[in-house]
């Protein structure tokens, strides 16, 4: 089976989905992970195919910290990019 996992957020948000992907790979499934480009190494070190999508999470976090009132708009941009 081909499985697409898409996630966005901190390392703590991404890591559980990487564990899921690793378990599925061990069972013979083909996994593609779609997420922020700054988490690529976390995913690819598990031999899971990675497709970067959206903005780097570090930049998104910095933008939200600089302008908390724009958080909803900043985060809403990520969904269409994925």
């Amino acid at each position: 089976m081909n499985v697409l996992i898409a996630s966005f957020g901190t390392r703590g948000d991404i890591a559980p989905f990487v564990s899921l992907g690793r378990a599925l790979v061990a069972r013979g499934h083909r996994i593609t992970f779609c997420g922020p480009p700054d988490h690529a190494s976390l995913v690819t070190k598990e031999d899971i195919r990675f497709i970067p999508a959206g903005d780097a999470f570090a930049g998104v976090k910095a933008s939200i910290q600089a302008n908390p009132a724009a958080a909803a708009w900043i985060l809403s941009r990520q969904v269409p990019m994925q």
Side-chain angles (χ1 to χ4, degrees), residues 22-38:
R22 185 175 50 240
L24 291 169
V25 166
R27 289 166 177 76
H29 303 291
R30 181 171 184 240
I31 308 304
T32 301
F33 194 103
C34 177
D38 47 344

Side-chain angles (χ1 to χ4, degrees), residues 8 18 66 74:
F8 183 81
V18 173
I74 293 166

Side-chain angles (χ1 to χ4, degrees), residues 37-68:
D38 47 344
H39 293 305
S41 64
L42 177 66
V43 177
T44 58
K45 75 178 182 181
E46 300 295 337
D47 293 325
I48 297 172
R49 181 177 177 229
F50 182 79
I51 298 174
D55 298 321
F57 184 75
V60 171
K61 181 179 173 185
S63 295
I64 291 171
Q65 288 173 333
N67 187 1

Side-chain angles (χ1 to χ4, degrees), residues 4-28:
L4 172 64
I5 299 173
S7 186
F8 183 81
T10 66
R11 186 181 194 286
D13 296 315
I14 302 292
F17 292 105
V18 173
S19 294
L20 172 64
R22 185 175 50 240
L24 291 169
V25 166
R27 289 166 177 76

